[in-house]
Amino acid sequence: MKIKILNSEFSELGVIEDVLSAEKREGLNSYKELQFSTILTPKVSALIAEGHIAEVDNDYFDLVYFQKAQQSNGRLSVAAEFEHVSYRLNDPEYDIEFFTEIGTPEEILGKILAGTGFTIGTVEFSETITFSIQEKSSRRKVLMEFINYLGGEVDFKKFQISILKQRGSTVPKNITAGRNIEVITMSYDKRQKDDNGNPLVAYTCKLIRPMNIELGDVVTVQYDTLGINANLRVVSISTNPYNSCDVEFEIGNFNPTLENHIYRI
């Protein structure tokens, strides 16, 4: 799937036909970004410009940074970075001094998004609650703290925001069957804990043969070399829009807790 470039009115301007590299990456309750580099031609130069938007996998990303360069061989190239349109909720014009609401999670989400142009998708929580933040915050910060308050997981799709109890499949997928996994790195962090009080452990992996892996999936990992035998979750995933076989993901004992303060009433 190739990357389309749109103008600020979401009309298609052109397509990035070839890339030197490309990566779309997303983490549970955190970042959602796109970046690529390509040969700089007059057509590409016109596409990579302020205010333009990338469309890939039926989703929108705002251009936030680009760098044009000349290589030692004289070849011109451009590297571009994009953030998901949900980062527009960080715009200072949407900041609020404080926030307090009583209602269902769907009702409160509607109040958080009011006046921003974002809409409500699926909300898998229904119990009436009170949610309050007594400090000046961006709408995105309020949103992410609200999701953390619920113990939910966010799913951004264009301008629609869903709050799910769990993203991905809850039925464990065996990703090590037939030695189909390559573990690239392993990290251990005693400073952070999962819901059971265990240090956070994460593994960055690649599949040797393609299989369907999605963000949030529960996976079964048996990897004797590193002494792994556990059910873990896909906590981040990176894909190449131009090569469906190029997938890198991180698995670990996910802890959705943010370090921001949440005030409960």
Side-chain angles (χ1 to χ4, degrees), residues 8 17 80 105 112 136 158 190 234:
S8 59
E17 297 291 347
I112 294 172
K136 184 176 181 179
K158 292 185 175 177
K190 189 176 180 180
V234 177

Side-chain angles (χ1 to χ4, degrees), residues 133-184:
I133 293 181
Q134 300 300 315
E135 62 182 7
K136 184 176 181 179
S137 304
S138 71
R139 293 292 182 96
R140 185 178 171 89
K141 180 181 178 183
V142 174
L143 170 66
M144 299 309 294
E145 292 191 348
F146 178 57
I147 292 164
N148 180 59
Y149 179 91
L150 292 172
E153 296 175 6
V154 67
D155 186 8
F156 296 114
K157 197 68 172 180
K158 292 185 175 177
F159 288 90
Q160 188 177 81
I161 298 173
S162 296
I163 305 177
L164 310 178
K165 291 185 177 179
Q166 180 176 322
R167 290 189 62 175
S169 173
T170 58
V171 178
K173 299 178 179 180
N174 190 342
I175 60 174
T176 49
R179 298 183 178 180
N180 193 32
I181 188 175
E182 175 188 358
V183 177
I184 301 170

Side-chain angles (χ1 to χ4, degrees), residues 59-76:
D59 213 344
Y60 295 146
F61 297 80
D62 286 322
L63 177 64
V64 295
Y65 172 86
F66 64 88
Q67 182 182 66
K68 299 176 181 180
Q70 180 171 309
Q71 311 299 322
S72 58
N73 60 5
R75 185 175 65 176
L76 300 176

Side-chain angles (χ1 to χ4, degrees), residues 33 71 74 217:
E33 302 165 341
Q71 311 299 322
D217 281 351

Side-chain angles (χ1 to χ4, degrees), residues 20 28 36-37 71 81 103 106 134 174 178 190 210 233 235 243:
L20 301 173
L28 279 178
F36 65 83
S37 62
Q71 311 299 322
E81 298 178 8
E106 185 170 343
Q134 300 300 315
N174 190 342
K190 189 176 180 180
R233 293 191 65 198
V235 298
N243 182 357

